Amino acid sequence: MTQEARDTGRAPDRSSGERRPLWRQRDFGVFWAAQTLSVLGDSFALIALPLLVLEATGSIARMGLLTAVGGAAAVLAAVFAGTVVDRVDRRGLLIGCDLARMVLYGLIPLVWLLGPQVWLLYAVLPLCEAVGMFFAVGYVTVVRGLVGTEQLTEANARLNATAAAAGVLGPLCAGVVAAWSGPAAAVGVDAASFGVSAGLVAAVRFRPRADDREKGERPGLWQDLRTGVAFLRGQPVLRALTVLLCCFSFLTLGLNDLVIYHLKHDLGHDDGTVGTVMAVGALGTITGALLVAPMRRTLGFGRTWTGAVAVCGLAFACLGRAGGVPAVALLSAAFLACVGMAGTCSMSLRQEVTPEYLLGRVTSAYWTLQYSAAPVGAAVLTWAAEEHGTTPVALVAGTCCVLIAVAALFTPVRRAGRA
């Protein structure tokens, strides 16, 4: 290790030469473990927060409103996240985000000891979603520095696969904890997981930024935002993906609430069953993560992405008509498998083609535009389900997702090659 690496606590930059297998790369391994543990706990909140709202109010519309408020906070944070990530020490940012979420989520089980306080969820979740957006943008920007460009798809697939494996155990345990001790206790487990993740991230030696061209005086926020958007506009595939995913996110952000409501309200099952279905669904994410790298090499980006989105739509369309737990679990697994495949493809492509000194701002602009309409979509989807039932809502939303895949065939996404 060089003297600079010893002084800064960062791993030396080996981007131009050494390419060891991922399992032999110590810093990636620690980072990998940190994200897996974080997702393990976060999956508790994925189940517990909607259950807390449903338990207190009995309304899927209130569940959807919570999802919408959290999504809106994430979109607002995404406007600023790229600028911050490209200007600050990313390691410190990741640790700070984990610690902040540990404290915020930890408030919920403490306050719940005095009785249900739904207002607290509407205060805590937006803050956690905003902090989580800063973490997510920072997370995307450091992966390429840890593994290099050629191993990006493999690294992202492994991160997603183990996150999904944690997602299998997490919802299952969350359902058990919620059934035994209440959903608030499950949120407490989530809080603790962020503390462990922060400790692991602190042990990672991040490499210096490989392409930090911007020295001296920085431009203002507005110019930073324009820079990210301008890069997306100048890349035909990324430009098309941004528009298509904006529509897809509008239709699907409220799906988790829809599944929980369908299981508990329409089919009459308990919290444990909800956790089991979510765990089976996460098995689909594992499958998608394991398949995405070989499928992209074989079929190319365009076919892999459009095929995955089409299957997502078909699975979504059938969810409302699923009359049994096995069918709901199978369709959820198919949906999440294909969401994982499409997401890994698009994230890897964006990391590959974006200069590292722009990666934070481009990721921020990409996610801001992609999720800009999603909170409204979640509120509309859940309101419509409460008014008209889950079956017609799922059918319409799923059909629209299939149409998004069809529309992609008339964009540069279709011609994206195998690289």
Side-chain angles (χ1 to χ4, degrees):
M1 182 182 295
T2 65
Q3 183 61 43
E4 178 187 5
R6 293 190 186 95
D7 292 340
T8 61
R10 296 176 176 176
D13 184 4
R14 302 186 182 93
S15 58
S16 60
E18 181 178 340
R19 292 191 186 92
R20 292 176 295 168
L22 290 178
W23 63 270
R24 293 185 57 195
Q25 298 183 29
R26 178 258 183 199
D27 293 306
F28 175 75
V30 176
F31 185 74
W32 191 1
Q35 300 321 298
T36 302
L37 286 173
S38 180
V39 172
L40 178 63
D42 212 18
S43 60
F44 274 65
L46 179 70
I47 304 299
L49 293 181
L51 287 177
L52 282 171
V53 175
L54 191 60
E55 182 182 83
T57 68
S59 170
I60 186 178
R62 294 289 296 274
M63 293 168 64
L65 180 61
L66 180 63
T67 300
V69 169
V75 171
L76 181 62
V79 174
F80 306 98
T83 298
V84 173
V85 168
D86 282 343
R87 294 180 183 220
V88 304
D89 175 65
R90 293 170 179 173
R91 181 188 187 202
L93 177 69
L94 295 178
I95 295 171
C97 289
D98 271 341
L99 293 177
R101 287 182 289 178
M102 178 187 71
V103 173
L104 289 168
Y105 277 126
L107 289 174
I108 294 176
L110 293 177
V111 173
W112 232 257
L113 292 174
L114 305 176
Q117 303 290 334
V118 177
W119 65 267
L120 181 64
L121 304 181
Y122 288 92
V124 168
L125 184 63
L127 291 174
C128 288
E129 288 293 309
V131 172
M133 177 57 70
F134 280 90
F135 183 93
V137 174
Y139 158 80
V140 169
T141 63
V142 301
V143 174
R144 186 170 73 180
L146 286 173
V147 303
T149 302
E150 291 188 1
Q151 293 179 300
L152 260 178
T153 300
E154 182 184 358
N156 287 328
R158 292 193 179 198
L159 286 164
N160 290 342
T162 52
V168 173
L169 182 61
L172 189 61
C173 294
V176 173
V177 172
W180 287 356
S181 306
V187 179
V189 176
D190 181 33
S193 74
F194 285 115
V196 177
S197 176
L200 288 172
V201 172
V204 178
R205 300 166 300 177
F206 291 107
R207 297 170 186 172
R209 301 184 191 184
D211 196 13
D212 192 2
R213 298 182 186 178
E214 294 191 352
K215 308 293 183 181
E217 184 178 352
R218 293 276 192 171
L221 172 63
W222 178 242
Q223 182 59 43
D224 275 343
L225 295 175
R226 291 179 60 188
T227 299
V229 173
F231 185 87
L232 292 175
R233 189 170 60 243
Q235 294 284 334
V237 177
L238 293 183
R239 182 174 65 238
L241 282 174
T242 303
V243 175
L244 293 169
L245 285 173
C246 180
C247 300
F248 185 80
S249 299
F250 176 88
L251 295 165
T252 60
L253 182 62
L255 180 132
N256 188 59
D257 295 332
L258 202 69
V259 171
I260 293 174
Y261 185 76
H262 183 55
L263 288 169
K264 289 184 67 69
H265 180 268
D266 299 342
L267 302 182
H269 292 284
D270 59 12
D271 294 349
T273 302
V274 172
T276 301
V277 169
M278 294 296 178
V280 174
L283 288 172
T285 308
I286 297 175
T287 303
L290 294 175
L291 291 177
V292 62
M295 286 194 68
R296 185 183 174 190
R297 286 194 297 268
T298 303
L299 300 178
F301 175 87
R303 292 179 181 177
T304 302
W305 191 90
T306 53
V309 171
V311 175
C312 283
L314 293 173
F316 196 174
C318 295
L319 265 171
R321 297 187 62 84
V325 171
V328 175
L330 182 61
L331 290 169
S332 297
F335 179 88
L336 291 174
C338 292
V339 164
M341 291 179 66
T344 300
C345 277
S346 59
M347 182 169 65
S348 299
L349 178 70
R350 191 173 66 253
Q351 290 168 316
E352 290 163 3
V353 303
T354 305
E356 187 166 346
Y357 73 97
L358 283 176
L359 192 52
R361 279 161 287 177
V362 170
T363 299
S364 180
Y366 186 83
W367 282 348
T368 299
L369 296 172
Q370 176 183 339
Y371 291 109
S372 58
V376 176
V380 170
L381 187 79
T382 51
W383 170 83
E386 187 162 277
E387 293 293 320
H388 305 288
T390 56
T391 299
V393 172
L395 179 61
V396 171
T399 301
C400 290
C401 290
V402 174
L403 292 176
I404 289 172
V406 173
L409 299 177
F410 299 92
T411 72
V413 172
R414 177 187 179 184
R415 299 187 295 275
R418 299 186 179 185

